[in-house]
Amino acid sequence: MKKILTIIFTTTLVLGISTFSPTSTDAATAKVFKNCTELNKEYPGGVAKDTKVTNKGGKTKYKPTVSAELYKANASKDRDKDGIACER
């Protein structure tokens, strides 16, 4: 009986450790910028939430960087709500 309990405990422990892996998502590391000037220093074209969005604000000079997590962290800076934050 003791041998069976040891095997069950060991198996549970091994499976528990192997399935546990800390996930480092972009959302956890996505930088929140205080304004568009700061964001545009690092991302001149702004940040788009995906490749399918189109600019509603007119002609732009730069192509936006596509990152859903970065866009989500800075969505408040998307004034025209077109899916691109701080486009220029």
Side-chain angles (χ1 to χ4, degrees), residues 34-67:
K34 66 178 184 177
N35 56 37
C36 283
T37 304
E38 295 296 318
L39 188 139
N40 287 139
K41 286 179 185 177
E42 199 165 325
Y43 304 99
V47 178
K49 65 179 168 183
D50 63 32
T51 57
K52 298 175 186 173
V53 298
T54 56
N55 182 21
K56 293 181 185 174
K59 191 172 181 176
T60 58
K61 195 173 184 180
Y62 303 101
K63 187 175 179 179
T65 301
V66 177
S67 171

Side-chain angles (χ1 to χ4, degrees), residues 5-62:
L5 288 175
T6 305
I7 292 171
I8 292 173
F9 176 75
T10 306
T11 306
T12 305
L13 184 61
V14 169
L15 290 175
I17 291 173
S18 64
T19 58
F20 174 76
S21 61
T23 55
S24 172
T25 62
D26 287 339
T29 60
K31 185 175 180 181
V32 179
F33 294 91
K34 66 178 184 177
N35 56 37
C36 283
T37 304
E38 295 296 318
L39 188 139
N40 287 139
K41 286 179 185 177
E42 199 165 325
Y43 304 99
V47 178
K49 65 179 168 183
D50 63 32
T51 57
K52 298 175 186 173
V53 298
T54 56
N55 182 21
K56 293 181 185 174
K59 191 172 181 176
T60 58
K61 195 173 184 180
Y62 303 101

Side-chain angles (χ1 to χ4, degrees), residues 4 26 60 82 88:
I4 293 173
D26 287 339
T60 58
D82 62 354
R88 58 178 195 145

